[in-house]
Amino acid sequence: MSELFSMSPGSFVFSSKALRSLQLDEDKLERHDYKRRMASHHLLSYALKKESRERTPLRAKVAPRPYVCRDVVLQNALYTGNLEAMQRLFPRGSSAGLIIEPQGGEMRWVARGEGLWSLTYEQELTTPLHITAGRGFTECLKLLLQRGASVDLAPGGITALHESCVRCEPECTRLLLVHGADANAVSDDGHMPLHLCSNPESFECAKHLLQHGAAINARTADEDDTPLHVAARNGLTDHVELYLRYGAAADKKNHEGLTPLNAACSQPQELQDLQRYLGLCRILMKAGADIRTMDQDRRTPLHMACKNANADLVELLLANGASVNEMDYGGEAPMHNILKVLKHCSQSPRTIEVLLNAYSQLKVTDTWVESVPPEVFEEHREFYESVFSLARTPRSLQHLSRCKLRVFLEGRLDKVVPRLDLPTIINNYLLLDYKGYIH
């Protein structure tokens, strides 16, 4: 096997001119390679959060020092998933404990001492497991695991399990876990594999991780995010439901003071994503997420939903008792985003009516009129005429009485009003039932 991993001129992809231009000083190259081998021999030792330590204690594994391989023939077999070639290159009894130093990549200038710089290829160390797991080469991955490849080796700062989750390869994720991969391994930048399940295609990877002991409330090192934060921010409804079933905490805050609900509401949303985020927030609220939690800038989910002009989400938060009078550190209430709501949600008079009726007084200006497209104004003429007439008319005494009662019951409104046995028309009025006009 040692002959297999030596660099042969016949298999190297560079021209002789390129090789000469990238020739390094022999002593420095040996020291450079030695440092790389030593760095790759040590697994990362980030301390996990308390829950992670309790559920999945760190395992000390002793493995032989892996070889550094630069052979292009072997690399080509790995990167193309050539199982037949790999069976020849890794016969029974051979070791798959290798670190790959890929050839090629991005070019960069590197200081070589004495004021000299050399243009060379930027290379990131990896392993055969990383290459095959990240590309979904399941059969090749099986072969490497049968040949004893170390599942938790992380020469480039992440394990093969991180790689399979990033690339959304569920079968490779399952194989690595079955062969002992640490579901709570921490990458160089402080992420566990579950934190990297950040798009819909990673759902099955997340399931496998949780089934093999992934810590559901583990935090990232940089933002202090839980997996639920990641799922909520990315609008991953299925992930959110899965994590809640596994005991994810709905109200944990990250470094910015954001809960998963705050994170979902604050995420900029494209038009096609609005309903998905609405459903996700509804799930979080049903699980007990507090709609009045403020981030470090004292912004509530309502502030954020108004800023993102998610009409249905604004209505949902208001219907569940969100406070319209909370001021952030900039002295702004959700109402300060009303012009943006008018502009982007003008097709939804219902949402605008609910938001406007949550305030006792409004300062309607010409800018409001300009925010509503003419065709939308014509379609909902009666409603918008009632809104714009408030520029010259105070709110009705009936409305002011409603606002006073709503302020008194703030935070309890949706629970108390239905139990008062009021006439239906009054009950609906207090709960801001849609009328189609403002008075």
Side-chain angles (χ1 to χ4, degrees):
M1 288 295 288
S2 60
E3 294 180 0
L4 175 65
F5 305 130
S6 61
M7 184 186 298
S8 58
S11 67
F12 200 75
V13 295
F14 296 154
S15 66
S16 58
K17 182 178 180 180
L19 283 173
R20 286 194 301 273
S21 67
L22 299 175
Q23 186 78 42
L24 299 177
D25 178 83
E26 184 176 357
D27 292 336
K28 291 184 179 180
L29 179 60
E30 288 179 356
R31 288 197 297 273
H32 180 67
D33 283 346
Y34 177 76
K35 288 179 181 178
R36 282 182 181 250
R37 288 196 300 271
M38 290 300 293
S40 67
H41 184 56
H42 298 286
L43 295 177
L44 300 172
S45 59
Y46 274 88
L48 302 180
K49 295 289 182 178
K50 183 175 183 295
E51 178 194 2
S52 175
R53 291 198 301 268
E54 291 174 349
R55 291 189 59 175
T56 310
L58 290 172
R59 302 192 297 267
K61 293 187 176 181
V62 179
R65 179 176 299 176
Y67 296 99
V68 175
C69 170
R70 304 185 190 89
D71 191 276
V72 177
V73 174
L74 175 59
Q75 292 186 25
N76 286 340
L78 289 169
Y79 281 108
T80 59
N82 189 333
L83 180 61
E84 184 179 348
M86 288 183 60
Q87 288 171 334
R88 293 196 306 269
L89 295 168
F90 294 98
R92 294 185 181 278
S94 63
S95 171
L98 307 173
I99 289 178
I100 303 296
E101 190 173 56
Q103 307 299 336
E106 298 293 329
M107 297 290 288
R108 66 172 179 176
W109 290 98
V110 178
R112 298 303 179 193
E114 299 181 0
L116 299 177
W117 289 73
S118 173
L119 186 62
T120 187
Y121 284 99
E122 183 177 9
Q123 299 170 341
E124 184 173 307
L125 298 180
T126 186
T127 73
L129 285 190
H130 286 71
I131 297 169
T132 54
R135 287 162 176 75
F137 299 148
T138 309
E139 294 303 316
C140 296
L141 180 62
K142 285 181 183 177
L143 175 68
L144 293 168
L145 291 168
Q146 291 167 359
R147 298 296 183 264
S150 175
V151 289
D152 288 332
L153 199 60
I158 63 172
T159 67
L161 188 59
H162 287 93
E163 188 75 22
S164 68
C165 291
V166 169
R167 302 294 186 93
C168 306
E169 297 292 347
E171 184 57 22
C172 291
T173 296
R174 186 192 67 81
L175 277 171
L176 290 166
L177 289 165
V178 167
H179 282 78
D182 184 1
N184 293 312
V186 184
S187 67
D188 257 349
D189 56 2
H191 291 77
M192 296 181 192
L194 199 57
H195 294 123
L196 302 181
C197 295
S198 58
N199 59 58
E201 291 73 26
S202 66
F203 179 69
E204 292 298 323
C205 292
K207 284 176 63 176
H208 291 313
L209 288 167
L210 291 169
Q211 290 166 0
H212 285 79
I216 190 60
N217 289 316
R219 306 299 193 102
T220 60
D222 51 357
E223 297 295 334
D224 217 24
D225 281 337
T226 67
L228 191 59
H229 281 93
V230 176
R233 184 179 296 114
N234 289 284
L236 306 180
T237 304
D238 290 339
H239 289 65
V240 166
E241 290 181 321
L242 174 68
Y243 296 166
L244 290 171
R245 287 200 301 271
Y246 271 84
D251 275 333
K252 283 189 178 293
K253 291 185 176 184
N254 65 9
H255 281 324
E256 296 180 351
L258 296 172
T259 65
L261 178 62
N262 295 64
C265 292
S266 64
Q267 184 69 11
Q269 300 156 21
E270 299 295 333
L271 183 62
Q272 66 270 18
D273 297 328
L274 296 180
Q275 288 302 309
R276 183 156 52 91
Y277 276 94
L278 173 67
L280 187 151
C281 290
R282 187 176 281 119
I283 292 168
L284 289 170
M285 290 163 62
K286 188 177 179 179
D290 187 352
I291 62 175
R292 300 186 64 178
T293 299
M294 299 178 178
D295 67 5
Q296 62 185 11
D297 294 319
R298 294 185 58 81
R299 292 173 301 185
T300 66
L302 185 58
H303 281 92
M304 300 162 182
C306 286
K307 185 175 182 180
N308 283 327
N310 189 330
D312 292 333
L313 183 53
V314 169
E315 185 175 348
L316 174 67
L317 293 167
L318 289 170
N320 283 273
S323 174
V324 297
N325 295 311
E326 296 285 4
M327 297 288 186
D328 64 16
Y329 275 132
E332 294 188 345
M335 187 64 179
H336 287 82
N337 291 303
I338 189 60
L339 288 180
K340 186 170 184 179
V341 175
L342 273 173
K343 181 178 180 181
H344 295 284
C345 304
S346 56
Q347 288 277 13
S348 178
R350 179 187 184 93
T351 301
I352 294 171
E353 179 183 329
V354 172
L355 183 58
L356 296 183
N357 278 338
Y359 291 88
S360 60
Q361 51 188 321
L362 299 168
K363 186 179 180 180
V364 181
T365 66
D366 291 341
T367 310
W368 286 40
V369 180
E370 296 167 1
S371 297
V372 179
E375 64 275 13
V376 176
F377 177 83
E378 288 300 326
E379 183 180 353
H380 306 284
R381 174 179 285 273
E382 181 181 1
F383 172 75
Y384 282 112
E385 283 182 344
S386 72
V387 172
F388 299 149
S389 69
L390 296 177
R392 301 176 299 276
T393 307
R395 302 302 298 266
S396 68
L397 181 59
Q398 180 178 319
H399 171 71
L400 296 176
S401 300
R402 171 172 61 179
C403 286
K404 192 70 174 179
L405 183 57
R406 285 178 60 86
V407 170
F408 178 74
L409 295 174
E410 195 165 23
R412 302 171 292 155
L413 189 73
D414 57 322
K415 297 179 180 178
V416 172
V417 171
R419 299 173 61 183
L420 293 179
D421 197 24
L422 298 169
T424 301
I425 189 170
I426 298 178
N427 182 88
N428 292 343
Y429 184 72
L430 289 173
L431 295 177
L432 305 183
D433 191 42
Y434 180 60
K435 295 294 184 183
Y437 60 88
I438 301 291
H439 61 83

